Amino acid sequence: MKKILILSLMLVLVFSLVATAQAQVKVTYWTAPNPPQEVFWRNLSEKFNASQNKINVYVTAMVETPSSESTITNAVAGGKAPAASGNIFPGFGATLANSEAVVALDTLPGFDEIIEKRAMKEIIEGWKFADGHVYILPVYANAMLFGWRIDTLKELGFTEAPATYSGIMDVGKALKAKYPDRFLIARKELIEPTWWQRWFDFFMLYNAASDGRPFVTGNEVTADDEAVIKVFKFYGDLKANDYLLTMPATDPFETEVSIWRSLGPWSFPGWKERFPELVINKTFVAAPPPLPDDVGLSYAKTFADAKGLVIYAQRSPEEQAAIWEFIKWVFTDPINDLAWIDATGMLPMRGDLVTNSTFDRVFKEHPELIPYADEMAYAVPAIANEKFSDIQTILSDKGLVPVVLGKVTPQQGWADAKAAIEALLK
Amino acid sequence: MRKSRNPNRMKKVGWVEVRGWFFTSPYLVFTLIFFILPLIWGFYLLFTNWNLISPQKEFIGLLNFFEALKSPKVHAAFFTTYKAMAIFMPTVLISSLGIALLINSIPRFKGIIAVAFFLPYLVSGVAFSLVVKGVISYNSPLSPVFRQLFGYIPDWLGTPILAIIVISLMITWKLSGYYALIFLSGLSSIPKELYEAADVDGATSWIKFWKITIPMLYPALYTVMILAVGLMFGIFTEPYMLTGGGPQLATHTWYLEIYYQAFSAMRAGYGSTIAFINAIVTFISIIIIRKIMEGWGKAYGPV
């Protein structure tokens, strides 16, 4: 009798488990192949799975060989896409959206709640695609700034980082007079065609000079011609005056070979280990991009190295709804954004970072992140066009690189690049 | 009279054949899945503008070929390969042959020393590129030496000709030990009697090298030349890590362009087309080198 009772209980238990498992919707989320991000998403999925029993989220890192974009492409092509994935920048998002591979997130219930709770009403405007829909939910953004060696600047007689092109030229002149072997900036990428490097030189200055005017809209080049030419000329002048080093150099900013560089917050953990003498406001400062002298703005826009997540259209509506529940659960609680900063050292994309008291502790512990949070509202995401890499390669090959090398004038360089980009977009 | 077939023997032969197919099947299945099918798929992609995920898939005939043949980047890849070959072939032949002769002349521990020279072949291209980048950087310990000797620091990667020389020499360093092993096996198979006979005739070392060693090394030389030519069409890691194909396409290679088109621009069809053209150019180049080598072999080789 006892045996029958135990057996019955076990059967009930097994059936219950099976029934629960069957009722549960299992979904997969692919995170960037980056240990801090993996840990962040795994922790949250475990908490979410424990908080309810209808959805089970499995988090795994995507493969990054040869690139995370090609891994996603292969998965979509093979019908094996996850329910959602992160690490998507606007250009690749455009490829996915144009291929009908991802879901328009603004059509899903609760989208507005996320936008409201993250104070992203204005930010999300920059993430709308040509058809007016939002396909990528921005997760984090590094509003790119320029780092200045304030110790050297003070030594040269400047009390703060220059904010205009002529101010920078003045610093260059003073630097060369005192240290002929040093440079304002060391950036060999300025003579290389690598398309994504343009985010960290050209687009930082272009967004500032043009007040964030879109470079491409749909299939048209809508760039501010004057702003492009000014940026080209500025980089050309830096090289012509020997203020720009285009040879490879090991840690040039850190070793004072150069005193100016584009700077993302990902550099800080490494500096803490290898260059502890680099302390914000003591040896370096992080400042917005400089402006051309005749642009009378009180702020300078910059490039946003931002990535977000997408939901894949090839998964069933139940799976899409399930992963959306998880996403809503994650992004409507600022505590999770705090955990994100603690795990990754990068700032989440939200409009209230400076004003929301949840983040006070972070900025107290990491004052170097304050300028990045301040600049967040002025950060413009990458071109949202599926030919993003070709556009930026042409910009390099026909425009910026020949101008820096002194082969063509800034006007000619932009005329050539613009004509080639227009031909590409036709 | 027609011979009658032995059914037992036939059965045995049939079983042997089945066993043969069975034991080779893993390789055949592997080849089918990872080589033949992708090859057919790649061939199909040549005629499309598909990005692999779009529901719209257009058959565009030969447009990918026309675009590739007109592309300045494909032209650059073509010429970069031959420029690199012009530097790499003589340097790698001299250094690998030098290493092989050196090791061959050592009385003991030939194997260990040969393996030591082979080690660069196993070094990660990425790691080696980072080391080279450090060595030729503006603030490397070498820079003051150059400044003192020549009054300036050469812009190794910013000058087109220097950039291709640096990349070619990096590949030479990596491959010399490997090719030296091939030459070493060639050297060990040259009969000693030939050198003894030459000694009797009063030949100098120089004459023995050119009249005996080089002609008798023909099979090894042939192998190395073919391998080296093929290798030049697959350069990727060094320019990817050091120059990105610049300055002004001076180090732009076939594989850089294929990688860019297929994995950055997501143009699978166009990327496959460039890979196909690369395969044809490689094939033709190898045939030409083969013909030259065979001609040389007929005139001066051991046969």
mmCIF file with all atom_site columns, all heavy atoms in Angstrom, chain A residues 99 181 188 192 247-248 250 389-390 393 397 407, chain B residues 51 55 73 137-139 155 242-243 248 260 266:
data_model
loop_
_atom_site.group_PDB
_atom_site.id
_atom_site.type_symbol
_atom_site.label_atom_id
_atom_site.label_alt_id
_atom_site.label_comp_id
_atom_site.label_asym_id
_atom_site.label_entity_id
_atom_site.label_seq_id
_atom_site.pdbx_PDB_ins_code
_atom_site.Cartn_x
_atom_site.Cartn_y
_atom_site.Cartn_z
_atom_site.occupancy
_atom_site.B_iso_or_equiv
_atom_site.pdbx_formal_charge
_atom_site.auth_seq_id
_atom_site.auth_comp_id
_atom_site.auth_asym_id
_atom_site.auth_atom_id
_atom_site.pdbx_PDB_model_num
ATOM 1   N N   . SER A 1 99  ? 15.322 43.528 -44.205 1.00 0.00 ? 99  SER A N   1
ATOM 2   C CA  . SER A 1 99  ? 15.160 42.119 -44.581 1.00 0.00 ? 99  SER A CA  1
ATOM 3   C C   . SER A 1 99  ? 13.968 41.490 -43.860 1.00 0.00 ? 99  SER A C   1
ATOM 4   O O   . SER A 1 99  ? 13.795 40.271 -43.899 1.00 0.00 ? 99  SER A O   1
ATOM 5   C CB  . SER A 1 99  ? 16.435 41.347 -44.244 1.00 0.00 ? 99  SER A CB  1
ATOM 6   O OG  . SER A 1 99  ? 17.545 41.913 -44.869 1.00 0.00 ? 99  SER A OG  1
ATOM 7   N N   . ASP A 1 181 ? 58.829 66.815 -30.488 1.00 0.00 ? 181 ASP A N   1
ATOM 8   C CA  . ASP A 1 181 ? 58.604 65.399 -30.792 1.00 0.00 ? 181 ASP A CA  1
ATOM 9   C C   . ASP A 1 181 ? 57.225 64.896 -30.386 1.00 0.00 ? 181 ASP A C   1
ATOM 10  O O   . ASP A 1 181 ? 56.887 63.737 -30.620 1.00 0.00 ? 181 ASP A O   1
ATOM 11  C CB  . ASP A 1 181 ? 59.656 64.529 -30.076 1.00 0.00 ? 181 ASP A CB  1
ATOM 12  C CG  . ASP A 1 181 ? 61.038 64.796 -30.613 1.00 0.00 ? 181 ASP A CG  1
ATOM 13  O OD1 . ASP A 1 181 ? 61.128 65.331 -31.737 1.00 0.00 ? 181 ASP A OD1 1
ATOM 14  O OD2 . ASP A 1 181 ? 62.017 64.490 -29.904 1.00 0.00 ? 181 ASP A OD2 1
ATOM 15  N N   . LYS A 1 188 ? 46.641 56.670 -36.230 1.00 0.00 ? 188 LYS A N   1
ATOM 16  C CA  . LYS A 1 188 ? 47.023 56.101 -37.527 1.00 0.00 ? 188 LYS A CA  1
ATOM 17  C C   . LYS A 1 188 ? 45.790 55.720 -38.339 1.00 0.00 ? 188 LYS A C   1
ATOM 18  O O   . LYS A 1 188 ? 45.832 55.642 -39.554 1.00 0.00 ? 188 LYS A O   1
ATOM 19  C CB  . LYS A 1 188 ? 47.956 54.903 -37.329 1.00 0.00 ? 188 LYS A CB  1
ATOM 20  C CG  . LYS A 1 188 ? 47.299 53.609 -36.950 1.00 0.00 ? 188 LYS A CG  1
ATOM 21  C CD  . LYS A 1 188 ? 48.317 52.502 -36.818 1.00 0.00 ? 188 LYS A CD  1
ATOM 22  C CE  . LYS A 1 188 ? 47.662 51.158 -36.557 1.00 0.00 ? 188 LYS A CE  1
ATOM 23  N NZ  . LYS A 1 188 ? 46.959 50.596 -37.699 1.00 0.00 ? 188 LYS A NZ  1
ATOM 24  N N   . GLU A 1 192 ? 43.648 55.090 -42.647 1.00 0.00 ? 192 GLU A N   1
ATOM 25  C CA  . GLU A 1 192 ? 43.204 53.734 -42.976 1.00 0.00 ? 192 GLU A CA  1
ATOM 26  C C   . GLU A 1 192 ? 41.736 53.757 -43.394 1.00 0.00 ? 192 GLU A C   1
ATOM 27  O O   . GLU A 1 192 ? 40.983 54.598 -42.923 1.00 0.00 ? 192 GLU A O   1
ATOM 28  C CB  . GLU A 1 192 ? 43.387 52.821 -41.756 1.00 0.00 ? 192 GLU A CB  1
ATOM 29  C CG  . GLU A 1 192 ? 44.846 52.514 -41.477 1.00 0.00 ? 192 GLU A CG  1
ATOM 30  C CD  . GLU A 1 192 ? 45.043 51.701 -40.198 1.00 0.00 ? 192 GLU A CD  1
ATOM 31  O OE1 . GLU A 1 192 ? 44.051 51.280 -39.594 1.00 0.00 ? 192 GLU A OE1 1
ATOM 32  O OE2 . GLU A 1 192 ? 46.200 51.511 -39.829 1.00 0.00 ? 192 GLU A OE2 1
ATOM 33  N N   . MET A 1 247 ? 51.594 57.492 -37.600 1.00 0.00 ? 247 MET A N   1
ATOM 34  C CA  . MET A 1 247 ? 52.365 56.249 -37.405 1.00 0.00 ? 247 MET A CA  1
ATOM 35  C C   . MET A 1 247 ? 51.774 55.501 -36.223 1.00 0.00 ? 247 MET A C   1
ATOM 36  O O   . MET A 1 247 ? 51.202 56.130 -35.335 1.00 0.00 ? 247 MET A O   1
ATOM 37  C CB  . MET A 1 247 ? 53.814 56.588 -37.037 1.00 0.00 ? 247 MET A CB  1
ATOM 38  C CG  . MET A 1 247 ? 54.699 56.906 -38.211 1.00 0.00 ? 247 MET A CG  1
ATOM 39  S SD  . MET A 1 247 ? 56.361 57.247 -37.601 1.00 0.00 ? 247 MET A SD  1
ATOM 40  C CE  . MET A 1 247 ? 56.867 55.634 -37.011 1.00 0.00 ? 247 MET A CE  1
ATOM 41  N N   . PRO A 1 248 ? 51.934 54.167 -36.190 1.00 0.00 ? 248 PRO A N   1
ATOM 42  C CA  . PRO A 1 248 ? 51.463 53.482 -34.984 1.00 0.00 ? 248 PRO A CA  1
ATOM 43  C C   . PRO A 1 248 ? 52.265 53.946 -33.773 1.00 0.00 ? 248 PRO A C   1
ATOM 44  O O   . PRO A 1 248 ? 53.460 54.234 -33.889 1.00 0.00 ? 248 PRO A O   1
ATOM 45  C CB  . PRO A 1 248 ? 51.709 51.999 -35.276 1.00 0.00 ? 248 PRO A CB  1
ATOM 46  C CG  . PRO A 1 248 ? 52.620 51.951 -36.439 1.00 0.00 ? 248 PRO A CG  1
ATOM 47  C CD  . PRO A 1 248 ? 52.503 53.242 -37.162 1.00 0.00 ? 248 PRO A CD  1
ATOM 48  N N   . THR A 1 250 ? 52.445 53.193 -29.347 1.00 0.00 ? 250 THR A N   1
ATOM 49  C CA  . THR A 1 250 ? 51.909 52.399 -28.245 1.00 0.00 ? 250 THR A CA  1
ATOM 50  C C   . THR A 1 250 ? 51.445 53.326 -27.118 1.00 0.00 ? 250 THR A C   1
ATOM 51  O O   . THR A 1 250 ? 52.241 54.100 -26.593 1.00 0.00 ? 250 THR A O   1
ATOM 52  C CB  . THR A 1 250 ? 52.992 51.425 -27.725 1.00 0.00 ? 250 THR A CB  1
ATOM 53  O OG1 . THR A 1 250 ? 53.544 50.736 -28.850 1.00 0.00 ? 250 THR A OG1 1
ATOM 54  C CG2 . THR A 1 250 ? 52.429 50.420 -26.738 1.00 0.00 ? 250 THR A CG2 1
ATOM 55  N N   . SER A 1 389 ? 28.399 50.301 -44.031 1.00 0.00 ? 389 SER A N   1
ATOM 56  C CA  . SER A 1 389 ? 29.848 50.087 -44.129 1.00 0.00 ? 389 SER A CA  1
ATOM 57  C C   . SER A 1 389 ? 30.395 50.633 -45.443 1.00 0.00 ? 389 SER A C   1
ATOM 58  O O   . SER A 1 389 ? 31.474 51.211 -45.484 1.00 0.00 ? 389 SER A O   1
ATOM 59  C CB  . SER A 1 389 ? 30.209 48.616 -43.955 1.00 0.00 ? 389 SER A CB  1
ATOM 60  O OG  . SER A 1 389 ? 29.583 47.850 -44.934 1.00 0.00 ? 389 SER A OG  1
ATOM 61  N N   . ASP A 1 390 ? 29.607 50.483 -46.526 1.00 0.00 ? 390 ASP A N   1
ATOM 62  C CA  . ASP A 1 390 ? 30.053 51.025 -47.811 1.00 0.00 ? 390 ASP A CA  1
ATOM 63  C C   . ASP A 1 390 ? 30.120 52.549 -47.756 1.00 0.00 ? 390 ASP A C   1
ATOM 64  O O   . ASP A 1 390 ? 31.058 53.158 -48.269 1.00 0.00 ? 390 ASP A O   1
ATOM 65  C CB  . ASP A 1 390 ? 29.098 50.601 -48.944 1.00 0.00 ? 390 ASP A CB  1
ATOM 66  C CG  . ASP A 1 390 ? 29.375 49.183 -49.405 1.00 0.00 ? 390 ASP A CG  1
ATOM 67  O OD1 . ASP A 1 390 ? 30.512 48.731 -49.219 1.00 0.00 ? 390 ASP A OD1 1
ATOM 68  O OD2 . ASP A 1 390 ? 28.457 48.534 -49.933 1.00 0.00 ? 390 ASP A OD2 1
ATOM 69  N N   . THR A 1 393 ? 33.109 53.515 -45.792 1.00 0.00 ? 393 THR A N   1
ATOM 70  C CA  . THR A 1 393 ? 34.348 53.171 -46.497 1.00 0.00 ? 393 THR A CA  1
ATOM 71  C C   . THR A 1 393 ? 34.621 54.197 -47.591 1.00 0.00 ? 393 THR A C   1
ATOM 72  O O   . THR A 1 393 ? 35.758 54.656 -47.770 1.00 0.00 ? 393 THR A O   1
ATOM 73  C CB  . THR A 1 393 ? 34.260 51.761 -47.113 1.00 0.00 ? 393 THR A CB  1
ATOM 74  O OG1 . THR A 1 393 ? 33.969 50.847 -46.063 1.00 0.00 ? 393 THR A OG1 1
ATOM 75  C CG2 . THR A 1 393 ? 35.551 51.334 -47.768 1.00 0.00 ? 393 THR A CG2 1
ATOM 76  N N   . ASP A 1 397 ? 37.862 56.380 -48.190 1.00 0.00 ? 397 ASP A N   1
ATOM 77  C CA  . ASP A 1 397 ? 38.696 56.220 -49.391 1.00 0.00 ? 397 ASP A CA  1
ATOM 78  C C   . ASP A 1 397 ? 38.726 57.462 -50.279 1.00 0.00 ? 397 ASP A C   1
ATOM 79  O O   . ASP A 1 397 ? 39.758 57.808 -50.843 1.00 0.00 ? 397 ASP A O   1
ATOM 80  C CB  . ASP A 1 397 ? 38.184 55.038 -50.232 1.00 0.00 ? 397 ASP A CB  1
ATOM 81  C CG  . ASP A 1 397 ? 38.526 53.713 -49.595 1.00 0.00 ? 397 ASP A CG  1
ATOM 82  O OD1 . ASP A 1 397 ? 39.405 53.694 -48.719 1.00 0.00 ? 397 ASP A OD1 1
ATOM 83  O OD2 . ASP A 1 397 ? 37.912 52.690 -49.963 1.00 0.00 ? 397 ASP A OD2 1
ATOM 84  N N   . LYS A 1 407 ? 46.359 64.815 -50.593 1.00 0.00 ? 407 LYS A N   1
ATOM 85  C CA  . LYS A 1 407 ? 46.260 64.493 -52.032 1.00 0.00 ? 407 LYS A CA  1
ATOM 86  C C   . LYS A 1 407 ? 45.178 65.324 -52.716 1.00 0.00 ? 407 LYS A C   1
ATOM 87  O O   . LYS A 1 407 ? 45.261 65.560 -53.923 1.00 0.00 ? 407 LYS A O   1
ATOM 88  C CB  . LYS A 1 407 ? 45.937 63.009 -52.231 1.00 0.00 ? 407 LYS A CB  1
ATOM 89  C CG  . LYS A 1 407 ? 46.869 62.057 -51.514 1.00 0.00 ? 407 LYS A CG  1
ATOM 90  C CD  . LYS A 1 407 ? 47.920 61.519 -52.445 1.00 0.00 ? 407 LYS A CD  1
ATOM 91  C CE  . LYS A 1 407 ? 48.854 60.579 -51.691 1.00 0.00 ? 407 LYS A CE  1
ATOM 92  N NZ  . LYS A 1 407 ? 50.082 60.341 -52.385 1.00 0.00 ? 407 LYS A NZ  1
ATOM 93  N N   . ASN B 2 51  ? 21.487 38.956 -49.396 1.00 0.00 ? 51  ASN B N   1
ATOM 94  C CA  . ASN B 2 51  ? 22.297 39.171 -48.194 1.00 0.00 ? 51  ASN B CA  1
ATOM 95  C C   . ASN B 2 51  ? 22.120 38.016 -47.193 1.00 0.00 ? 51  ASN B C   1
ATOM 96  O O   . ASN B 2 51  ? 22.434 38.151 -46.023 1.00 0.00 ? 51  ASN B O   1
ATOM 97  C CB  . ASN B 2 51  ? 21.967 40.520 -47.547 1.00 0.00 ? 51  ASN B CB  1
ATOM 98  C CG  . ASN B 2 51  ? 20.570 40.553 -46.950 1.00 0.00 ? 51  ASN B CG  1
ATOM 99  O OD1 . ASN B 2 51  ? 19.828 39.591 -47.034 1.00 0.00 ? 51  ASN B OD1 1
ATOM 100 N ND2 . ASN B 2 51  ? 20.200 41.668 -46.357 1.00 0.00 ? 51  ASN B ND2 1
ATOM 101 N N   . PRO B 2 55  ? 13.980 38.366 -47.577 1.00 0.00 ? 55  PRO B N   1
ATOM 102 C CA  . PRO B 2 55  ? 13.061 37.505 -48.347 1.00 0.00 ? 55  PRO B CA  1
ATOM 103 C C   . PRO B 2 55  ? 13.167 37.795 -49.845 1.00 0.00 ? 55  PRO B C   1
ATOM 104 O O   . PRO B 2 55  ? 12.767 36.968 -50.662 1.00 0.00 ? 55  PRO B O   1
ATOM 105 C CB  . PRO B 2 55  ? 11.686 37.881 -47.801 1.00 0.00 ? 55  PRO B CB  1
ATOM 106 C CG  . PRO B 2 55  ? 11.850 39.190 -47.109 1.00 0.00 ? 55  PRO B CG  1
ATOM 107 C CD  . PRO B 2 55  ? 13.289 39.328 -46.714 1.00 0.00 ? 55  PRO B CD  1
ATOM 108 N N   . LYS B 2 73  ? 39.073 48.272 -55.781 1.00 0.00 ? 73  LYS B N   1
ATOM 109 C CA  . LYS B 2 73  ? 39.576 47.468 -54.656 1.00 0.00 ? 73  LYS B CA  1
ATOM 110 C C   . LYS B 2 73  ? 40.009 46.079 -55.112 1.00 0.00 ? 73  LYS B C   1
ATOM 111 O O   . LYS B 2 73  ? 40.975 45.526 -54.596 1.00 0.00 ? 73  LYS B O   1
ATOM 112 C CB  . LYS B 2 73  ? 38.504 47.355 -53.580 1.00 0.00 ? 73  LYS B CB  1
ATOM 113 C CG  . LYS B 2 73  ? 38.239 48.685 -52.931 1.00 0.00 ? 73  LYS B CG  1
ATOM 114 C CD  . LYS B 2 73  ? 37.505 48.508 -51.656 1.00 0.00 ? 73  LYS B CD  1
ATOM 115 C CE  . LYS B 2 73  ? 37.709 49.750 -50.831 1.00 0.00 ? 73  LYS B CE  1
ATOM 116 N NZ  . LYS B 2 73  ? 37.088 49.665 -49.550 1.00 0.00 ? 73  LYS B NZ  1
ATOM 117 N N   . SER B 2 137 ? 56.540 51.047 -33.900 1.00 0.00 ? 137 SER B N   1
ATOM 118 C CA  . SER B 2 137 ? 55.758 52.208 -33.485 1.00 0.00 ? 137 SER B CA  1
ATOM 119 C C   . SER B 2 137 ? 56.659 53.420 -33.243 1.00 0.00 ? 137 SER B C   1
ATOM 120 O O   . SER B 2 137 ? 57.875 53.287 -33.074 1.00 0.00 ? 137 SER B O   1
ATOM 121 C CB  . SER B 2 137 ? 54.936 51.900 -32.236 1.00 0.00 ? 137 SER B CB  1
ATOM 122 O OG  . SER B 2 137 ? 55.788 51.743 -31.145 1.00 0.00 ? 137 SER B OG  1
ATOM 123 N N   . TYR B 2 138 ? 56.026 54.579 -33.206 1.00 0.00 ? 138 TYR B N   1
ATOM 124 C CA  . TYR B 2 138 ? 56.754 55.843 -33.056 1.00 0.00 ? 138 TYR B CA  1
ATOM 125 C C   . TYR B 2 138 ? 57.554 55.863 -31.761 1.00 0.00 ? 138 TYR B C   1
ATOM 126 O O   . TYR B 2 138 ? 58.664 56.390 -31.713 1.00 0.00 ? 138 TYR B O   1
ATOM 127 C CB  . TYR B 2 138 ? 55.738 56.995 -33.082 1.00 0.00 ? 138 TYR B CB  1
ATOM 128 C CG  . TYR B 2 138 ? 56.349 58.359 -32.896 1.00 0.00 ? 138 TYR B CG  1
ATOM 129 C CD1 . TYR B 2 138 ? 56.990 58.996 -33.954 1.00 0.00 ? 138 TYR B CD1 1
ATOM 130 C CD2 . TYR B 2 138 ? 56.279 59.009 -31.669 1.00 0.00 ? 138 TYR B CD2 1
ATOM 131 C CE1 . TYR B 2 138 ? 57.543 60.248 -33.798 1.00 0.00 ? 138 TYR B CE1 1
ATOM 132 C CE2 . TYR B 2 138 ? 56.829 60.273 -31.504 1.00 0.00 ? 138 TYR B CE2 1
ATOM 133 C CZ  . TYR B 2 138 ? 57.470 60.883 -32.566 1.00 0.00 ? 138 TYR B CZ  1
ATOM 134 O OH  . TYR B 2 138 ? 58.016 62.127 -32.411 1.00 0.00 ? 138 TYR B OH  1
ATOM 135 N N   . ASN B 2 139 ? 56.969 55.298 -30.707 1.00 0.00 ? 139 ASN B N   1
ATOM 136 C CA  . ASN B 2 139 ? 57.658 55.340 -29.409 1.00 0.00 ? 139 ASN B CA  1
ATOM 137 C C   . ASN B 2 139 ? 58.325 54.011 -29.050 1.00 0.00 ? 139 ASN B C   1
ATOM 138 O O   . ASN B 2 139 ? 58.456 53.688 -27.877 1.00 0.00 ? 139 ASN B O   1
ATOM 139 C CB  . ASN B 2 139 ? 56.718 55.804 -28.292 1.00 0.00 ? 139 ASN B CB  1
ATOM 140 C CG  . ASN B 2 139 ? 55.369 55.111 -28.321 1.00 0.00 ? 139 ASN B CG  1
ATOM 141 O OD1 . ASN B 2 139 ? 55.104 54.326 -29.218 1.00 0.00 ? 139 ASN B OD1 1
ATOM 142 N ND2 . ASN B 2 139 ? 54.532 55.391 -27.359 1.00 0.00 ? 139 ASN B ND2 1
ATOM 143 N N   . ASP B 2 155 ? 58.042 56.049 -41.608 1.00 0.00 ? 155 ASP B N   1
ATOM 144 C CA  . ASP B 2 155 ? 56.624 55.777 -41.370 1.00 0.00 ? 155 ASP B CA  1
ATOM 145 C C   . ASP B 2 155 ? 56.311 54.430 -42.033 1.00 0.00 ? 155 ASP B C   1
ATOM 146 O O   . ASP B 2 155 ? 55.827 54.370 -43.158 1.00 0.00 ? 155 ASP B O   1
ATOM 147 C CB  . ASP B 2 155 ? 55.783 56.915 -41.974 1.00 0.00 ? 155 ASP B CB  1
ATOM 148 C CG  . ASP B 2 155 ? 54.326 56.785 -41.576 1.00 0.00 ? 155 ASP B CG  1
ATOM 149 O OD1 . ASP B 2 155 ? 53.977 55.792 -40.928 1.00 0.00 ? 155 ASP B OD1 1
ATOM 150 O OD2 . ASP B 2 155 ? 53.537 57.685 -41.909 1.00 0.00 ? 155 ASP B OD2 1
ATOM 151 N N   . LEU B 2 242 ? 47.338 45.399 -39.161 1.00 0.00 ? 242 LEU B N   1
ATOM 152 C CA  . LEU B 2 242 ? 48.277 46.524 -39.176 1.00 0.00 ? 242 LEU B CA  1
ATOM 153 C C   . LEU B 2 242 ? 47.837 47.727 -39.997 1.00 0.00 ? 242 LEU B C   1
ATOM 154 O O   . LEU B 2 242 ? 48.094 48.866 -39.608 1.00 0.00 ? 242 LEU B O   1
ATOM 155 C CB  . LEU B 2 242 ? 49.639 46.054 -39.692 1.00 0.00 ? 242 LEU B CB  1
ATOM 156 C CG  . LEU B 2 242 ? 50.407 45.097 -38.781 1.00 0.00 ? 242 LEU B CG  1
ATOM 157 C CD1 . LEU B 2 242 ? 51.708 44.695 -39.443 1.00 0.00 ? 242 LEU B CD1 1
ATOM 158 C CD2 . LEU B 2 242 ? 50.684 45.727 -37.438 1.00 0.00 ? 242 LEU B CD2 1
ATOM 159 N N   . THR B 2 243 ? 47.215 47.500 -41.127 1.00 0.00 ? 243 THR B N   1
ATOM 160 C CA  . THR B 2 243 ? 46.962 48.632 -42.030 1.00 0.00 ? 243 THR B CA  1
ATOM 161 C C   . THR B 2 243 ? 45.506 48.767 -42.460 1.00 0.00 ? 243 THR B C   1
ATOM 162 O O   . THR B 2 243 ? 45.142 49.806 -43.012 1.00 0.00 ? 243 THR B O   1
ATOM 163 C CB  . THR B 2 243 ? 47.791 48.487 -43.320 1.00 0.00 ? 243 THR B CB  1
ATOM 164 O OG1 . THR B 2 243 ? 47.360 47.278 -43.971 1.00 0.00 ? 243 THR B OG1 1
ATOM 165 C CG2 . THR B 2 243 ? 49.275 48.423 -43.047 1.00 0.00 ? 243 THR B CG2 1
ATOM 166 N N   . GLN B 2 248 ? 45.911 54.013 -48.724 1.00 0.00 ? 248 GLN B N   1
ATOM 167 C CA  . GLN B 2 248 ? 45.350 54.131 -50.076 1.00 0.00 ? 248 GLN B CA  1
ATOM 168 C C   . GLN B 2 248 ? 45.433 52.829 -50.861 1.00 0.00 ? 248 GLN B C   1
ATOM 169 O O   . GLN B 2 248 ? 45.962 52.772 -51.965 1.00 0.00 ? 248 GLN B O   1
ATOM 170 C CB  . GLN B 2 248 ? 46.025 55.271 -50.814 1.00 0.00 ? 248 GLN B CB  1
ATOM 171 C CG  . GLN B 2 248 ? 45.688 56.622 -50.161 1.00 0.00 ? 248 GLN B CG  1
ATOM 172 C CD  . GLN B 2 248 ? 45.885 57.757 -51.093 1.00 0.00 ? 248 GLN B CD  1
ATOM 173 O OE1 . GLN B 2 248 ? 47.021 58.020 -51.494 1.00 0.00 ? 248 GLN B OE1 1
ATOM 174 N NE2 . GLN B 2 248 ? 44.825 58.443 -51.460 1.00 0.00 ? 248 GLN B NE2 1
ATOM 175 N N   . TYR B 2 260 ? 35.527 41.871 -46.119 1.00 0.00 ? 260 TYR B N   1
ATOM 176 C CA  . TYR B 2 260 ? 34.767 43.112 -46.012 1.00 0.00 ? 260 TYR B CA  1
ATOM 177 C C   . TYR B 2 260 ? 33.396 42.960 -46.672 1.00 0.00 ? 260 TYR B C   1
ATOM 178 O O   . TYR B 2 260 ? 32.363 43.300 -46.082 1.00 0.00 ? 260 TYR B O   1
ATOM 179 C CB  . TYR B 2 260 ? 35.549 44.274 -46.654 1.00 0.00 ? 260 TYR B CB  1
ATOM 180 C CG  . TYR B 2 260 ? 34.694 45.501 -46.793 1.00 0.00 ? 260 TYR B CG  1
ATOM 181 C CD1 . TYR B 2 260 ? 34.431 46.289 -45.687 1.00 0.00 ? 260 TYR B CD1 1
ATOM 182 C CD2 . TYR B 2 260 ? 34.113 45.831 -48.011 1.00 0.00 ? 260 TYR B CD2 1
ATOM 183 C CE1 . TYR B 2 260 ? 33.595 47.392 -45.787 1.00 0.00 ? 260 TYR B CE1 1
ATOM 184 C CE2 . TYR B 2 260 ? 33.284 46.924 -48.120 1.00 0.00 ? 260 TYR B CE2 1
ATOM 185 C CZ  . TYR B 2 260 ? 33.029 47.700 -47.013 1.00 0.00 ? 260 TYR B CZ  1
ATOM 186 O OH  . TYR B 2 260 ? 32.190 48.776 -47.119 1.00 0.00 ? 260 TYR B OH  1
ATOM 187 N N   . MET B 2 266 ? 27.818 42.625 -45.746 1.00 0.00 ? 266 MET B N   1
ATOM 188 C CA  . MET B 2 266 ? 26.780 41.587 -45.807 1.00 0.00 ? 266 MET B CA  1
ATOM 189 C C   . MET B 2 266 ? 26.337 41.297 -47.246 1.00 0.00 ? 266 MET B C   1
ATOM 190 O O   . MET B 2 266 ? 25.178 41.031 -47.513 1.00 0.00 ? 266 MET B O   1
ATOM 191 C CB  . MET B 2 266 ? 25.551 41.990 -44.988 1.00 0.00 ? 266 MET B CB  1
ATOM 192 C CG  . MET B 2 266 ? 25.830 42.190 -43.524 1.00 0.00 ? 266 MET B CG  1
ATOM 193 S SD  . MET B 2 266 ? 26.196 40.615 -42.738 1.00 0.00 ? 266 MET B SD  1
ATOM 194 C CE  . MET B 2 266 ? 27.063 41.176 -41.287 1.00 0.00 ? 266 MET B CE  1
#
